[in-house]
Amino acid sequence: MANVRALAAKTLFQVVDKGQSLTAQLPYASQKLPVKDRALLQQMCYGVLRYLPSLENYCQQLLDQPLRGKRRVFQFLLYVGIYQLQHMRVPAHAAVAETVNALKSLGAPGMKGLVNAVLRNFQRQQATLEQSANEIVVCQYNHPSWFIKKLQAAYPDKWTDILEENQLQAPMWLRVNQRQTDTNTYAKQLDQADIDYTLDESHPDGILLDHPVDVTKLPGFSTGASSVQDAAAQMAARLLSPKDGDNILDACAAPGGKTCHILELADSQVTALDADEKRLERVTDNLNRLSLTAQCVHGLADEPDNWWQGEQFDRILLDVPCSATGVIRRHPDIKWLRRAADIDELAKLQAKILDNIWPLLKSGGTLVYATCSVLPEENHQQINAFLSRTEDAKHIALHAQDKVEQPGLQLLPGITDGFYYAKLQKL
């Protein structure tokens, strides 16, 4: 049987050192474990990624030199061990013993003395180590310095709030399928299932669960009564305002939550476009569970000549590739996979997609631009630049402060994820 701590160390090595996505690596590792251990694996991987700079700093103090080369995976095992001691409810003696025991699975019983000594020394020196790490900004906030600086510039009064939210577990929101039932009726079904929740009038299709639950426990989930989707993402379809008979493009559609939501709200003809053929399969899976139909198309949003059939769209949802800095709490590996240089490259791609998709929109049609980013370069600066170079694009205000100079709606991580929306009309 695979050892959960050994698997956590291997998974973290693949993410941090090899640049692999945790979303891809975690399911692969989980299948090697009994169901009861899978949540523990996720908790350890998420936790180490949330506190990586601090864990690295502690090991710098506790090791004569970092473990490199073939021994690099043991460095991550130390992070797993220290994370348990510092942040988990595992009894300290069990955390140390089980982490040392993981070396059998990693084929390195000879490392037991070192791993045991480091973890014991962390226990003895914990208060001092934490105090010294807290004097380093990157360790204090456990985010890369380039990102901290960008937030300080963009949100001088709120940057610490964003960083603190990123360290918390994300809330679980449901989207009620209005084709099957209404939100209040579904809420009563949750009452009967003893699932606690909160209703929020500003999100008419949404229900916020007090605690995350397994989807198999949700009433009617398998037959499409509800879906898991953050309230910020639920705003996309509502802002698009689909009407029966509309021809709609959902560009960059995978995994399909927004595609399905559009179809739940109106009898529209929807084209779901995505560049990733594998992820398009998830769009199909979601459509099938909800008994909905859309045309799924594999293609690049910035190269419509390769897939567009020539008929213009009434409405376009443009959920562009972005830094995903608004959903770090759901994907803590983003902090270590993203680089400062990526933001400029993403902004160029977003501009290209906007310019190349705009001709596909009918005169009088609506385009909703969306990102799950908190960075101005991808959001209001991007839309402001597009408006300045596009004569037939009209800005539609989404709230009282939504001005052409700083257009759109910026949501920061909190009760919802961090998202940005801008609404444009073609003259």
Side-chain angles (χ1 to χ4, degrees):
M1 185 64 67
N3 181 288
V4 64
R5 288 163 179 82
L7 274 176
K10 287 180 178 178
T11 302
L12 290 161
F13 170 72
Q14 288 297 323
V15 172
V16 178
D17 280 21
K18 299 298 182 184
Q20 299 296 309
S21 159
L22 184 62
T23 306
Q25 290 296 311
L26 206 52
Y28 172 74
S30 293
Q31 67 188 11
K32 300 175 183 178
L33 289 171
V35 174
K36 66 180 179 66
D37 287 339
R38 292 176 183 175
L40 180 59
L41 173 68
Q42 178 171 317
Q43 185 181 4
M44 289 175 177
C45 289
Y46 273 60
V48 169
L49 291 169
R50 284 190 175 120
Y51 292 97
L52 187 62
S54 294
L55 298 170
E56 288 176 334
N57 181 268
Y58 304 148
C59 282
Q60 281 175 4
Q61 313 304 316
L62 295 168
L63 287 167
D64 292 334
Q65 56 186 13
L67 301 172
R68 296 193 175 95
K70 292 180 179 178
R71 301 206 301 169
R72 183 67 175 152
V73 71
F74 309 126
Q75 183 93 11
F76 288 98
L77 184 63
L78 289 172
Y79 298 161
V80 169
I82 295 172
Y83 173 73
Q84 292 169 85
L85 292 169
Q86 192 178 23
H87 296 286
M88 289 177 68
R89 294 179 180 176
V90 181
H93 65 88
V96 173
E98 292 298 326
T99 303
V100 170
N101 196 40
L103 289 161
K104 291 180 190 172
S105 293
L106 294 171
M111 295 288 292
K112 283 185 176 181
L114 175 67
V115 170
N116 185 67
V118 169
L119 297 182
R120 295 293 184 198
N121 283 334
F122 175 78
Q123 285 182 278
R124 284 190 283 269
Q125 302 174 38
Q126 183 170 346
T128 305
L129 288 165
E130 288 175 350
Q131 186 176 352
S132 66
N134 214 35
E135 293 169 5
I136 303 166
V137 173
V138 169
C139 295
Q140 183 183 355
Y141 295 106
N142 285 289
H143 283 70
S145 64
W146 70 265
F147 183 61
I148 295 172
K149 288 171 184 172
K150 278 190 176 292
L151 290 185
Q152 287 171 331
Y155 306 101
D157 300 326
K158 297 177 181 176
W159 65 274
T160 56
D161 295 339
I162 298 170
L163 296 175
E164 286 166 11
E165 282 289 341
N166 286 351
Q167 294 295 89
L168 303 177
Q169 183 178 10
M172 184 173 178
W173 281 87
L174 305 182
R175 185 187 78 240
V176 178
N177 183 353
Q178 303 297 327
R179 282 183 178 268
Q180 288 196 21
T181 185
D182 63 81
T183 306
N184 288 323
T185 301
Y186 190 77
K188 290 172 184 173
Q189 294 177 35
L190 292 178
D191 288 331
Q192 292 166 3
D194 288 326
I195 296 173
D196 297 326
Y197 61 85
T198 303
L199 296 177
D200 184 337
E201 289 181 1
S202 57
H203 301 290
D205 310 313
I207 299 178
L208 173 62
L209 300 187
D210 288 3
H211 306 284
V213 302
D214 192 290
V215 293
T216 58
K217 294 184 170 65
L218 296 173
F221 183 83
S222 62
T223 52
S226 65
S227 300
V228 177
Q229 186 184 42
D230 190 79
Q234 291 180 32
M235 293 177 68
R238 284 288 180 179
L239 291 174
L240 195 66
S241 305
K243 302 288 186 290
D244 290 351
D246 277 349
N247 183 25
I248 297 176
L249 172 65
D250 181 4
C252 317
K258 299 180 186 73
T259 302
C260 293
H261 195 191
I262 291 166
L263 290 162
E264 288 169 8
L265 297 178
D267 285 316
S268 324
Q269 178 184 325
V270 176
T271 299
L273 174 78
D274 204 86
D276 189 329
E277 204 160 12
K278 193 73 179 168
R279 294 188 77 220
L280 263 180
E281 292 174 11
R282 292 183 62 194
V283 180
T284 303
D285 292 343
N286 279 316
L287 289 165
N288 290 341
R289 183 178 64 83
L290 294 157
S291 301
L292 299 169
T293 305
Q295 183 186 8
C296 293
V297 175
H298 177 226
L300 296 170
D302 59 333
E303 296 179 4
D305 289 349
N306 294 330
W307 52 266
W308 184 43
Q309 301 298 309
E311 184 181 356
Q312 288 182 307
F313 297 96
D314 299 289
R315 298 172 200 274
I316 296 176
L317 174 59
L318 202 54
D319 187 1
V320 293
C322 71
S323 63
T325 45
V327 291
I328 283 173
R329 60 189 180 182
R330 295 189 189 279
H331 305 283
D333 53 331
I334 287 167
K335 293 192 285 187
W336 318 118
L337 296 176
R338 284 270 173 263
R339 300 286 181 268
D342 295 342
I343 308 308
D344 287 341
E345 290 303 310
L346 283 164
K348 288 174 187 172
L349 175 60
Q350 292 154 1
K352 186 180 176 188
I353 290 173
L354 269 165
D355 289 341
N356 291 357
I357 284 288
W358 187 251
L360 279 58
L361 185 66
K362 289 180 182 175
S363 293
T366 299
L367 183 145
V368 171
Y369 175 90
T371 76
C372 54
S373 169
V374 295
L375 299 179
E377 301 98 308
E378 302 180 271
N379 297 341
H380 74 260
Q381 291 177 12
Q382 183 71 259
I383 293 301
N384 188 273
F386 177 74
L387 287 166
S388 68
R389 67 176 181 267
T390 312
E391 290 184 359
D392 59 350
K394 179 187 176 185
H395 161 250
I396 307 294
L398 298 176
H399 56 98
Q401 282 75 46
D402 186 352
K403 311 291 186 187
V404 175
E405 302 77 37
Q406 190 165 323
L409 171 65
Q410 179 70 67
L411 304 171
L412 299 177
I415 194 168
T416 74
D417 287 342
F419 255 75
Y420 172 82
Y421 288 106
K423 192 168 185 175
L424 307 173
Q425 186 179 39
K426 195 169 194 176
L427 300 173

